[in-house]
Every structure is written in structure tokens, then in C-alpha cells.
Amino acid sequence: MYSTDKDNQRSSAYKMKVARLYSFEDIRIEEMPIPDIGDGDALVRVKACGICSGDVMPWYIEKKAPLVLGHEAVGEIVELGKEVRGEDKKVGDRVFFHHHAPCFICRYCKRGDYVQCSTWKKSKIIPGGISEYVLIPEVNLKGDTLLLSERMSFEQATLIEPLACVVKGLKRAKIREGDTVLVIGLGIMGQLHIVLAKKYGAKKIIGADRVNYRLEHAKESGANEVIDVSGVELMDGVYRATNGDMADIVVVGPGNIEAMSLGISCAGRGGSVLFFTPARPGDVLQLRPDDIYFRDINIITSYSCGPDDTKEALNLILEGIVDTKRFITHKFTLEKTQDAFRLTAKAKDSLKVIITFN
């Protein structure tokens, strides 16, 4: 194994701190051995890690417990396996690393459906992003690890993965110049949808939420109009905002049946409805097929993102399309991970919450 100096050489006898979730209300800061790397792997000292909105869905995250939290991590390579020497990665590189990576050769990868690749589904970072060190396995290192420009801070880079998910979703929805886009739910992912919808040429963007803080941020992000659903029926608000045409694309952020059903109702003829977040297992969405059919409504899902999406997201941040300083609203230390998760779960006066490391 190789490192910049002898101080970076280590064995599993050395410990690191991690944030481990046992239940939604029980996140503990623990010590565990720093992972030993294989010949094709890399060890990264984590510099920052974002908290994903999916991580604060109790039904989704608790089924994986106990686990070391976090996947929106970035950092600096401190050690490389011997087979990585001479390749495009080296000790000292600042990197973004996706927690999943595809094989690129299966039938799904050849279609660009990376998230359906069995290698993608099995791959992971070890032990998780909210950890002082992370092992990047060879498949992730080769498949979806990107070098960071010195012009991009580690904090900015925590938005690469969530932004990549938005890139993928809007591509699947086939957004076109001149579209009217409705974004339901104005947390960080809703805000990023607004920014990219504007970038991709949407003529009118409408944001909907019940939290004033997020409604105001949506205006700054580029929404032409916002609807406070605590006082206005969403369908009525969209009808008035579009002179009855409704939306060409509806992005449904919340992972619940009510929001999904409303999203379908707000789509105009020939429109598309993007389900960006999953609903609970067992939840059932009732549809009127004749209504969907004769209005030609497309229902689309978008799960995670692939290597092409992360590259595009990185470039969008570098180009200044996404002003990360506006969206990273709170920073916590590793020791305060529980507080960071509680704030994110409240979904009130915050957008992106990140964990930073010394």
C-alpha cells in the first residue's frame, strides 16, 4: 500500500470515528478500525458529507440498521492499493466518490440503466460517508470516482450526488425548452429541480410547499410563482398560474400517495409526472386508467443516478449554474450528527445540511 508519507501508513489497529444509526432516534458516535484496503482500492480521508433526504425517511433507513450513515461524501485520497499505482488516481487527490458503480458491460449498462445493474446494486463504500475514513472499493474507484478541481471546495462537492439525481430525473422526464414545470416539495431536491429546469429552458416554473422559508428560497432559485399549499388548494393554484393549461412536467418530491395523486391531477394534457421519491412498501396509488390514457399522461420514476449524471452535475457546479452557498444552510461536526439528522427531518427552515470534518 502506498501513501504520501510514513504517517499515512496504518493498519486495522488504528481507529476512526463513525456515526452509526441503530434507530431513527438512536445515532451513536463510535470507534471502529480504519479499513484495510485491497490492491485495487483507495482509502479516503473524508472532508465533508451531506445528509440525504432519503436518510431521514425512517421506514427506508431503519430497515438497514445498524449502519454507518451517509453516502454524499467527498475527501482526499491518503492511500492506494498497489495495482492503482500509475493510473489516473494518486495519493493527495481530492475526489468525489459515488457509493454505487456499475459494471458497464451488462444489458442494463448498455442501455444506460446503470441503477438496474447487479454490480451497481451490490457496490458500496465502506463503512459509510459519515466516517473519518472511507474505503473506496476498486469497482467504485474505477466506475464513478471523480477528481475535484481546486476551484471546487469539499463543501460544494457534497452536492454532486444529489444534483446528479436531479439531472437524471429531468432527463427521464424529457424536459424541453418552453415547458411549464411544477415542483411539489421545496426542500433541497426541489430547489435543485427549479435551478435545472430553468437551465434546461423551462418557460414557467411553479413551486409548491407549505413552509414559507422554502417558498421564499424557491423564488430565489428561479421559480416564477410559488403556491403555499397550507392556504391554497394545489390544483386551483396551478390552474390559475397556467390559465387552465396545467403543467407539462410535474416533479413530485414527497414520497407519499397524496402528493403523487395530486401530481397526476396537476399535469396538463400530454404531460409527464415524475415520482422522485419512493412511497412506503405496501402503499397503493389508485389511478383512473381512462383519465391517464385520454389525457396522454406519462408517469415516470427516477431512482438515484449513474456515472454520466455525476459528471454532468460536477460540471454544472463548476460552471456556477448551482450556487451551492445558497443551498448549504447548516454545517455540523461528526459529533453532532444526531442534531443534523433531526434538523433535516423537520423539513422546515433548512435546505442542505452537511457534516464537516477537520
Side-chain angles (χ1 to χ4, degrees):
M1 291 177 282
Y2 300 86
S3 63
T4 50
D5 54 54
K6 291 182 180 179
D7 291 337
N8 281 336
Q9 296 285 358
R10 57 98 193 94
S11 73
S12 59
Y14 287 85
K15 302 287 187 179
M16 64 179 182
K17 291 182 179 179
V18 302
R20 194 186 304 275
L21 178 142
Y22 289 88
S23 73
F24 202 68
E25 296 299 327
D26 185 7
I27 297 173
R28 306 175 197 173
I29 307 306
E30 299 180 339
E31 284 193 344
M32 65 178 291
I34 296 175
D36 287 315
I37 69 173
D39 290 346
D41 305 337
L43 185 71
V44 169
R45 180 183 291 116
V46 178
K47 295 293 187 177
C49 185
I51 295 177
C52 174
S53 51
D55 288 342
V56 296
M57 294 190 297
W59 69 265
Y60 180 76
I61 197 68
E62 285 188 335
K63 67 183 179 182
K64 304 177 184 181
L67 83 158
V68 175
L69 291 161
H71 59 263
E72 299 175 355
V74 293
E76 179 182 72
I77 294 176
V78 295
E79 193 172 332
L80 289 170
K82 62 183 179 181
E83 292 181 3
V84 188
R85 177 181 275 186
E87 296 189 6
D88 61 344
K89 304 293 189 303
K90 61 183 185 300
V91 170
D93 279 344
R94 306 164 72 254
V95 290
F96 156 83
F97 44 96
H98 199 286
H99 54 302
H100 293 302
C103 70
F104 295 104
I105 58 175
C106 70
R107 63 183 294 265
Y108 297 110
C109 286
K110 288 178 179 177
R111 296 176 58 203
D113 292 333
Y114 298 113
V115 302
Q116 301 307 324
C117 166
S118 59
T119 298
W120 189 95
K121 290 176 180 291
K122 288 187 233 178
S123 58
K124 61 182 179 179
I125 56 175
I126 301 169
I130 306 181
S131 171
E132 290 181 313
Y133 292 89
V134 164
L135 185 152
I136 308 177
E138 181 177 5
V139 63
N140 299 69
L141 189 63
K142 290 182 176 179
D144 202 355
T145 296
L146 304 176
L147 295 177
L148 299 178
S149 163
E150 292 294 336
R151 295 188 291 118
M152 183 182 293
S153 71
F154 287 116
E155 292 179 6
Q156 288 177 303
T158 60
L159 280 174
I160 291 174
E161 194 272 348
L163 182 61
C165 295
V166 176
V167 168
K168 179 188 172 185
L170 288 177
K171 283 181 181 176
R172 287 178 67 85
K174 297 182 179 178
I175 188 170
R176 292 176 291 191
E177 192 169 347
D179 277 348
T180 294
V181 177
L182 167 65
V183 180
I184 302 174
L186 299 176
I188 181 59
M189 305 311 286
Q191 303 287 334
L192 294 177
H193 272 99
I194 290 171
V195 171
L196 286 202
K198 186 175 182 180
K199 160 71 175 174
Y200 294 154
K203 184 177 181 180
K204 174 171 278 192
I205 304 170
I206 306 165
D209 205 300
R210 61 179 69 252
V211 179
N212 187 64
Y213 176 86
R214 297 182 168 196
L215 290 163
E216 291 302 316
H217 264 274
K219 295 176 188 175
E220 297 173 13
S221 297
N224 302 99
E225 297 189 37
V226 295
I227 300 171
D228 183 349
V229 295
S230 65
V232 176
E233 290 292 333
L234 181 58
M235 281 185 63
D236 293 341
V238 176
Y239 187 92
R240 288 194 295 269
T242 61
N243 295 318
D245 291 332
M246 309 305 278
D248 299 307
I249 293 177
V250 180
V251 178
V252 182
N256 63 67
I257 298 303
E258 180 186 7
M260 293 173 176
S261 182
L262 272 173
I264 294 170
S265 300
C266 290
R269 288 173 291 179
S272 297
V273 182
L274 173 64
F275 292 166
F276 191 73
T277 306
R280 289 174 178 269
D283 283 357
V284 177
L285 175 63
Q286 293 185 328
L287 297 173
R288 287 178 47 201
D290 65 314
D291 176 58
I292 299 294
Y293 182 87
F294 286 110
R295 286 201 296 137
D296 250 345
I297 302 299
N298 299 291
I299 296 177
I300 300 160
T301 59
S302 186
Y303 168 41
S304 192
C305 58
D308 50 349
D309 305 310
T310 56
K311 288 174 185 173
E312 184 168 342
L314 182 149
N315 288 329
L316 286 166
I317 294 172
L318 271 180
E319 293 167 11
I321 302 300
V322 177
D323 181 3
T324 53
K325 292 180 181 178
R326 285 190 53 253
F327 298 123
I328 298 174
T329 56
H330 295 79
K331 305 172 191 177
F332 290 82
T333 62
L334 171 67
E335 288 74 16
K336 297 292 184 182
T337 298
Q338 179 81 72
D339 295 338
F341 266 70
R342 285 175 179 159
L343 178 64
T344 304
K346 285 180 182 177
K348 297 292 184 182
D349 293 353
S350 68
L351 293 177
K352 194 61 184 176
V353 178
I354 67 172
I355 304 297
T356 59
F357 297 75
N358 292 329

